[in-house]
Amino acid sequence: MAGIDGFGTQFKRGDGAGPEVFTALADVTNVSGPGLSRETIDVTSHGSPDQWMEFIGGLKDGGEVSLDVNYAPANHDALVEDFDDDAPRNYQIVFPDPDTTTWAFKAVMTGFEAEAPYDDKLAATLTFKVSGKPTIS
């Protein structure tokens, strides 16, 4: 397979209820992340073979997720509540592949940047810091 068209990817926000209901955010034009990374721990010693540094895996970081949206205040201003909330909220990214792969994660909104150019559409970039381990299903 050469690739999968990204059209139809959804970013969903959980309502915090039980059972939790996820609602797709309107007018998303781009989804980036999560940007997984991992620290390394230097375990080099005087006995390391051939004077090569040695490492083991350290703490993992779920990174960030960023969204670009066609900004519509009526659709997106409720997300300012997420920015004001200190507790992580549940989110999902649902991909349009045949298996409908879903990345689920808790995150804290860390950025909401709107722009209103005189010669283009209203737009906004939303940034979320992943808290804990994302799950893929």
Side-chain angles (χ1 to χ4, degrees), residues 5-114:
D5 186 355
F7 183 81
T9 299
Q10 295 181 317
F11 182 84
K12 294 185 173 186
R13 178 181 181 261
D15 64 3
E20 191 156 26
V21 175
F22 287 85
T23 303
L25 187 63
D27 297 318
V28 174
T29 61
N30 188 51
V31 179
S32 296
L36 308 178
S37 65
R38 183 178 199 160
E39 293 183 4
T40 57
I41 299 168
D42 185 345
V43 293
T44 307
S45 71
H46 289 289
S48 292
D50 298 321
Q51 296 181 327
W52 283 96
M53 294 181 74
E54 298 178 281
F55 298 89
I56 60 172
L59 293 174
K60 300 168 192 168
D61 184 349
E64 291 185 336
V65 172
S66 65
L67 306 176
D68 296 326
V69 299
N70 291 328
Y71 179 48
N75 293 338
H76 301 113
D77 282 352
L79 290 169
V80 174
E81 295 172 18
D82 292 5
F83 183 80
D84 286 337
D85 194 356
D86 294 334
R89 176 181 287 273
N90 291 321
Y91 298 97
Q92 296 177 339
I93 300 171
V94 181
F95 294 95
D97 63 318
D99 298 323
T100 315
T101 300
T102 300
W103 284 63
F105 54 92
K106 290 185 176 294
V108 175
M109 181 183 261
T110 59
F112 188 115
E113 184 176 350

Side-chain angles (χ1 to χ4, degrees), residues 110-134:
T110 59
F112 188 115
E113 184 176 350
E115 63 179 355
Y118 75 91
D119 61 347
D120 205 352
K121 65 184 179 187
L122 289 174
T125 299
L126 316 175
T127 308
F128 302 84
K129 177 62 180 158
V130 175
S131 176
K133 179 181 181 179

